[in-house]
Amino acid sequence: MSDDTNTNARNHHGFARRAMLRGAAVGAALPLLPTAVGGATAATARPRSADSAPDPDSASLRWLGTAGWRIDIGNRTVLFDPYLTRFSTGLFEAAFDPATKIKKTDAGLVREYAGSPELILVSHSHWDHIADVPYIAKATGARVVGTETTFHLLVAFGVDPLQISVVKGGEVLDFGGGLTVEVVASLHSRNKKHAYFAPGTRTAPPTTAPETISDLPEGDTLAFQVSAGAGGPALFLMGASDFSERAADGLRPDVAMVAVPSSSATHRYAPRLLRALGNPPVVVPVHWDNFETPLREPVVPDPTMDLTGLIDQVRRESPASRVVVPDYRTVYGGDLRPRR
């Protein structure tokens, strides 16, 4: 983990794809990646109120690559965009094939990385966000929260319709025990031509289960803010590098998982987003890795993603924010400090 810390303290905040044809090349991001976590600072405790359950020290997070996260709050697990069974589409070899077959989920990877989730939050329905969700949902019984398109695709894959909650943005879902999920209407990132892979929505299940990645359209995009009780962290989760400024305005997450933009198609992306979120105390860049390499191996940065540029913008626009560049192997505390 790379931990860019500004000494200015922040008070605790309250309740709150990237385009497949990518943008300009960037400088090397490898120096930002961790070499060790020994001696890292332990998670900082926050005071608890009577209705806060659990406390922030019981919250832990693990990056699943791409935009994905596993969030453990006490003995409860929430997954966001869990793409674990990675496979090659040619995207990172400049030979992208939309007819690539969807690979069967690796059950061993699910056991290792997904645990026993209670909730699966899905930002949108492209393969690198949803491909493993049908298996995980059927194997664990987890409730899936996503768009109407996500609903219809999962039903076609054999997921019980009663297991899926369709949302549009604006919903505030209370799962009890202090676990709250606010659904935020959002947008998909765009390439330099202001377009992106597989747009479109579904209003009914396909007659057969999807077989190729082009059978999985975006289907609108959501962001989520997960709150772990009044005394725990509020986590803003993005699955793509664009957003609705009006929908995000006023959210005040403690930690913002910010997708690295693949182009400059979105006007003043980082400054507008940071301002809307109230300059979060912790910013975590996501969706900058080569997500066609195995998850059990070290992170391989996508050299076309401007990770360094995003970090520089955060430092400039929100100097009090701490930037944490995650890796696959570290489990972090609720404030994104490595667990010992």
Side-chain angles (χ1 to χ4, degrees):
M1 178 196 71
S2 172
D3 184 346
D4 176 24
T5 306
N6 188 289
T7 56
N8 295 328
R10 295 283 304 210
N11 292 326
H12 172 58
H13 280 44
F15 179 80
R17 173 183 165 27
R18 85 187 239 125
M20 293 319 303
L21 301 177
R22 295 160 290 167
V26 301
L30 282 171
L32 293 169
L33 299 176
T35 55
V37 297
T41 306
T44 303
R46 292 190 180 101
R48 296 183 64 192
S49 62
D51 64 341
S52 63
D55 76 41
D57 279 347
S58 70
S60 64
L61 302 95
R62 185 171 185 177
W63 187 39
L64 303 177
T66 322
W69 287 88
R70 171 175 170 170
I71 304 166
D72 290 289
I73 304 168
N75 62 355
R76 308 173 76 179
T77 297
V78 177
L79 299 180
F80 174 68
D81 284 4
Y83 180 54
L84 311 176
T85 310
R86 299 169 167 211
F87 54 89
S88 176
T89 66
L91 177 64
F92 295 89
E93 291 78 39
F96 179 59
D97 183 6
T100 299
K101 297 287 186 178
I102 301 167
K103 186 176 180 179
K104 181 180 178 180
T105 292
D106 185 326
L109 282 171
V110 172
R111 287 192 297 270
E112 181 177 350
Y113 288 93
S116 299
E118 172 182 342
L119 285 174
I120 306 172
L121 309 177
V122 180
S123 68
H124 64 285
S125 297
H126 283 151
W127 87 94
D128 55 323
H129 299 259
I130 200 177
D132 287 312
V133 171
Y135 177 90
I136 299 172
K138 289 187 287 185
T140 67
R143 174 152 296 279
V144 183
V145 179
T147 65
E148 182 182 5
T149 295
T150 292
F151 172 87
H152 291 307
L153 292 171
L154 293 181
V155 170
F157 278 118
V159 178
D160 184 346
L162 298 179
Q163 198 176 332
I164 311 165
S165 297
V166 175
V167 292
K168 296 183 178 181
E171 299 90 347
V172 182
L173 307 177
D174 191 337
F175 292 95
L179 175 59
T180 308
V181 176
E182 183 166 359
V183 186
V184 184
S186 195
L187 299 171
H188 196 280
S189 45
R190 295 176 179 271
N191 58 29
K192 289 190 284 188
K193 294 182 179 180
H194 300 83
Y196 60 90
F197 173 74
T201 59
R202 279 204 162 270
T203 58
T207 55
T208 59
E211 296 182 350
T212 71
I213 61 171
S214 63
D215 294 332
L216 301 175
E218 173 240 354
D220 296 327
T221 296
L222 303 168
F224 297 91
Q225 183 148 296
V226 177
S227 295
L235 312 170
F236 179 73
L237 303 162
M238 297 182 75
S241 59
D242 201 355
F243 68 104
S244 168
E245 188 169 4
R246 291 174 176 83
D249 188 40
L251 297 174
R252 293 295 179 263
D254 299 293
V255 180
M257 283 64 168
V258 174
V260 176
S262 56
S263 76
S264 59
T266 297
H267 177 65
R268 291 179 54 78
Y269 166 72
R272 291 170 48 239
L273 177 60
L274 294 167
R275 183 176 64 245
L277 297 179
N279 297 322
V282 181
V283 174
V284 185
V286 296
H287 220 327
W288 51 268
D289 58 324
N290 179 334
F291 52 82
E292 297 187 356
T293 60
L295 192 56
R296 292 189 177 106
E297 296 182 3
V299 180
V300 177
D302 177 350
T304 71
M305 299 298 287
D306 195 355
L307 172 60
T308 302
L310 177 67
I311 293 171
D312 288 345
Q313 288 187 65
V314 174
R315 289 172 175 166
R316 182 169 58 251
E317 300 291 336
S318 185
S321 297
R322 179 164 58 93
V323 179
V324 177
V325 178
D327 67 82
Y328 304 153
R329 300 180 179 185
T330 301
V331 177
Y332 302 92
D335 62 352
L336 265 288
R337 298 186 188 275
R339 290 289 195 198
R340 286 184 175 180

